[in-house]
Amino acid sequence: MFDYTAPANLLEGRVILITGAGDGIGRACALSCAAHGATVVLVGRTQSKLEEVYDAIEAAGHPQPALCPLNLETATEKDYEDLADQLFDAFGHLDGLVHNAAELGPRTLLDSVKADAWIRVMQVNVNAPFLLTKTMMPLLRAASDASVVLLSSSVGRKGRAYWGPYAISKFAVEGMMQVLADEQDGTSNIRVNSLNPGATRTRMRARAYPNEPVETNPEPEAIMPAFLYLLGPDSRECNGQALNAQ
Ligand SMILES: NC(=O)c1ccc[n+]([C@@H]2O[C@H](COP(=O)([O-])OP(=O)(O)OC[C@H]3O[C@@H](n4cnc5c(N)ncnc54)[C@H](OP(=O)(O)O)[C@@H]3O)[C@@H](O)[C@H]2O)c1
């Protein structure tokens, strides 16, 4: 497991947006960031799941989160701009952006993938992080120490049979990370890195490996040290890196 122990107040005063914050790794990330003092912006598709996370954060007495339902498959550039305007009015800056939401899509021979399934995976896993990053850039520039984290996968670093558009979308995510990171010159306050969570006990993992016993893999909470490291000030000098949470 990634070796990092976060102080309790690591993210105090920071505003951190997490996509797919209602379930799995994104949910754990939202709860963990809030527990370390961040104001989290909960973006996701299923309002009831976001509300459950919101309530848990409020009940624990952590900073009040912002709840922003958004379907990344259908969101337009205008929707992202409206979100950026809301965040600008509410906070004036954004210290962390975690591109976590993803679509697994079909796991089959590439030449059997239907065009609409390919397009859906690319829309959620590639186009949405591009549009969201683009529209959040002014808010990230307004922060003194901003971190962008793109969730990757081992199949986005070495291709594997039958992982179809998902694997290829994660290669694009790694490319987006490298391009964005390389665009941050010595004066930039923004760092951009990718993070492969590794096999983690979530709905997506269960869908990808239906015959695997659930207890095989760690809970999302166990992989949070890498997220906290990347979102807090200790990773200030870390830019353009492809990291592993396990
Ligand atoms: N779990 C693993 O073993 C593993 C391994 C390698 C990489 N990863 C990566 O880690 C990240 C998180 O995966 P996970 O396992 O936590 O997946 P998960 O349990 O399926 O959760 C994904 C989250 O993304 C949201 N989401 C999906 N499509 C969306 C859309 N169109 N608009 C808005 N939100 C959407 C889901 O919303 P709903 O709740 O509404 O469905 C859910 O909250 C992904 O990028 C994945 O590729 C995971």
Side-chain angles (χ1 to χ4, degrees):
M1 210 56 77
F2 191 91
D3 184 21
Y4 179 69
T5 305
N9 63 349
L10 179 81
L11 303 176
E12 222 167 67
R14 287 179 191 241
V15 181
I16 297 176
L17 187 158
I18 301 146
T19 66
D23 209 340
I25 294 168
R27 177 182 183 279
C29 181
L31 293 170
S32 184
C33 288
H36 287 83
T39 298
V40 289
V41 180
L42 308 169
V43 172
R45 158 173 73 176
T46 309
Q47 174 136 359
S48 56
K49 290 187 183 182
L50 298 179
E51 283 170 358
E52 186 272 324
V53 177
Y54 183 104
D55 290 346
I57 290 171
E58 241 194 358
H62 301 319
Q64 186 182 24
L67 195 150
C68 305
L70 192 68
N71 186 340
L72 302 182
E73 191 184 330
T74 51
T76 62
E77 189 164 14
K78 171 82 168 60
D79 295 324
Y80 293 108
E81 285 165 0
D82 289 347
L83 177 60
D85 287 345
Q86 281 172 34
L87 297 182
F88 193 82
D89 290 344
F91 308 113
H93 63 99
L94 186 65
D95 308 276
L97 176 54
V98 183
H99 293 292
N100 164 80
E103 171 91 29
L104 181 63
R107 291 194 49 231
T108 177
L109 279 172
L110 201 53
D111 62 7
S112 302
V113 174
K114 297 216 165 46
D116 59 344
W118 170 276
I119 289 166
R120 190 165 56 249
V121 171
M122 293 302 158
Q123 186 64 24
V124 175
N125 298 7
V126 182
N127 298 346
F130 159 67
L131 286 169
L132 186 59
T133 305
K134 177 179 153 72
T135 48
M136 292 298 148
M137 227 14 139
L139 279 151
L140 292 164
R141 289 199 182 101
S144 57
D145 171 35
S147 174
V148 179
V149 181
L150 295 120
L151 270 279
S152 185
S153 168
S154 51
V155 297
R157 293 176 180 168
K158 185 173 192 316
R160 201 181 303 160
Y162 315 122
W163 278 83
Y166 175 84
I168 296 165
S169 75
K170 293 297 187 181
F171 270 86
V173 160
E174 293 286 352
M176 198 175 333
M177 178 279 283
Q178 291 181 15
V179 170
L180 277 168
D182 202 44
E183 286 173 358
Q184 309 312 311
D185 62 18
T187 63
S188 172
N189 60 319
I190 304 173
R191 57 189 177 284
V192 187
N193 297 284
S194 72
L195 183 60
N196 169 21
T200 308
R201 201 181 308 176
T202 66
R203 243 169 10 109
M204 184 186 283
R205 178 75 192 182
R207 225 177 302 129
Y209 294 90
N211 297 323
E212 183 181 73
V214 284
E215 61 278 9
T216 309
N217 300 309
E219 302 261 23
E221 291 70 25
I223 62 166
M224 287 303 120
F227 287 78
L228 293 170
Y229 169 72
L230 282 174
L231 292 165
D234 292 326
S235 59
R236 198 181 262 272
E237 304 304 323
C238 178
N239 184 45
Q241 302 301 306
L243 301 176
N244 294 301
Q246 299 186 44

